[in-house]
Amino acid sequence: MELLLKLMTKAETSGQGESRNLQLGPSIKIMAVLLLALTIINAAAIWGIISARRSAESVALQDLKLETTAHARSLEAVLSSRRADFIFLSKSPPLSGAHSLLKSSNPIIRRWGRLDVEGSLLLFLVAHPEVERILIRDSDSQPLLAVGRRDGAPILLPSRDFASAAAAGDGLLVGLWPIRSSDGGSGTLETVLNVATLLRVAAPGIGPQFVLRQQEVAPAQTSSKGSNGPLVVSSPVRDDGWPNPIRWSLVCEENPSHLVASVKSLANRYRATVIANLIVMSL
């Protein structure tokens, strides 16, 4: 009798275990499916963060290229405008007769003619802050009159200090414009421009990452992918109308992290959320 009771107790225990296994089986499967679904969702979120960053970098690069090109075209427009201004100035009434007025034997004509020419050149400097110096030379390249700047203000300069012609480069743009008067006299209008000021006039508020090089370089575009180097974009600046044709390049060097700064904080926030989600899943 006791043996029969033991067998019945063992049978009941085994039946309860089998029913418990049957109850836990579907739960384990459902949990596995949920974990798989959450893993896929988290993987999609991580991929979305990476894809969004790449997309932001691409859009920022395109904007940087467009901005550089726009500044270069604006500079070309200013160069063309200044070229027209210098040609007009060299043919204007005070300067077209400057050679004969400044060398006249009559001291009164020479004095009043000089005042007229000096006034025209000083007013031109006031209206064009990028022009550093203007000289009038005779047919033998001897300086007759010079105006320039001191602390940014237009002033008269001693012409004897500029016996030799100015040299281009080192941030200066030099132009030589012929002066021909009706009485057969001839001369040269020598202009010296500050390139840095010219760039600020052409593109007000331009950032320090833009550098104007007075030489033409190949269009550059280097990505910082896999390196810590800057992103470099360049655009040519050309004007064939100047006495010495202009072949410059406007170069922009930008830190790639600055281009995606707007999405960086958002990506970090979502990345922290995904990591917290993975930790909860692991627990």
Side-chain angles (χ1 to χ4, degrees), residues 11-63:
E12 290 177 358
T13 305
S14 62
Q16 292 176 359
E18 289 178 358
S19 62
R20 188 180 296 111
N21 290 336
L22 291 175
Q23 293 176 357
L24 293 178
S27 300
I28 293 175
K29 293 180 180 180
I30 293 174
M31 184 179 296
V33 171
L34 290 176
L35 288 174
L36 180 61
L38 289 174
T39 303
I40 295 175
I41 293 174
N42 281 277
I46 295 173
W47 174 252
I49 294 173
I50 297 174
S51 178
R53 182 180 179 86
R54 291 179 179 176
S55 178
E57 288 179 351
S58 177
V59 171
L61 176 60
Q62 293 297 326
D63 290 343

Side-chain angles (χ1 to χ4, degrees), residues 107-147:
I108 298 178
I109 295 177
R110 185 169 64 250
R111 175 59 178 168
W112 285 105
R114 186 180 185 89
L115 289 175
D116 194 9
V117 175
E118 289 174 350
S120 299
L121 295 181
L122 289 175
L123 285 175
F124 190 87
L125 287 182
V126 171
H128 299 82
E130 70 280 357
V131 180
E132 288 288 330
R133 189 168 65 247
I134 300 179
L135 282 87
I136 296 179
R137 299 182 183 273
D138 59 15
S139 56
D140 297 327
S141 297
Q142 295 301 315
L144 301 177
L145 189 148
V147 296

Side-chain angles (χ1 to χ4, degrees), residues 46-239:
I46 295 173
W47 174 252
I49 294 173
I50 297 174
S51 178
R53 182 180 179 86
R54 291 179 179 176
S55 178
E57 288 179 351
S58 177
V59 171
L61 176 60
Q62 293 297 326
D63 290 343
L64 189 62
K65 292 168 63 177
L66 290 175
E67 184 181 5
T68 305
T69 302
H71 288 328
R73 300 294 81 78
S74 178
L75 181 57
E76 288 180 345
V78 172
L79 286 170
S80 178
S81 176
R82 294 301 174 267
R83 171 166 48 88
D85 292 341
F86 290 138
I87 294 175
F88 177 80
L89 181 64
S90 64
K91 299 181 182 299
S92 61
L95 270 71
S96 60
H99 181 269
S100 58
L101 290 174
L102 296 176
K103 287 191 172 184
S104 175
S105 57
N106 188 328
I108 298 178
I109 295 177
R110 185 169 64 250
R111 175 59 178 168
W112 285 105
R114 186 180 185 89
L115 289 175
D116 194 9
V117 175
E118 289 174 350
S120 299
L121 295 181
L122 289 175
L123 285 175
F124 190 87
L125 287 182
V126 171
H128 299 82
E130 70 280 357
V131 180
E132 288 288 330
R133 189 168 65 247
I134 300 179
L135 282 87
I136 296 179
R137 299 182 183 273
D138 59 15
S139 56
D140 297 327
S141 297
Q142 295 301 315
L144 301 177
L145 189 148
V147 296
R149 296 183 184 276
R150 180 176 296 166
D151 296 330
I155 61 170
L156 297 174
L157 298 175
S159 57
R160 61 180 178 274
D161 293 345
F162 306 97
S164 58
D170 295 332
L172 299 177
L173 172 62
V174 179
L176 300 176
W177 316 92
I179 299 176
R180 293 183 178 85
S181 59
S182 58
D183 59 359
S186 63
T188 304
L189 180 69
E190 180 182 303
T191 59
V192 180
L193 284 74
N194 187 300
V195 174
T197 307
L198 182 67
L199 180 59
R200 290 195 298 269
V201 170
I206 190 170
Q209 68 272 25
F210 291 92
V211 178
L212 184 60
R213 298 180 182 176
Q214 291 180 260
Q215 58 182 356
E216 191 170 15
V217 298
Q221 177 184 332
T222 61
S223 174
S224 63
K225 185 177 181 180
S227 65
N228 295 323
L231 187 69
V232 181
V233 177
S234 65
S235 180
V237 178
R238 300 172 182 173
D239 193 325

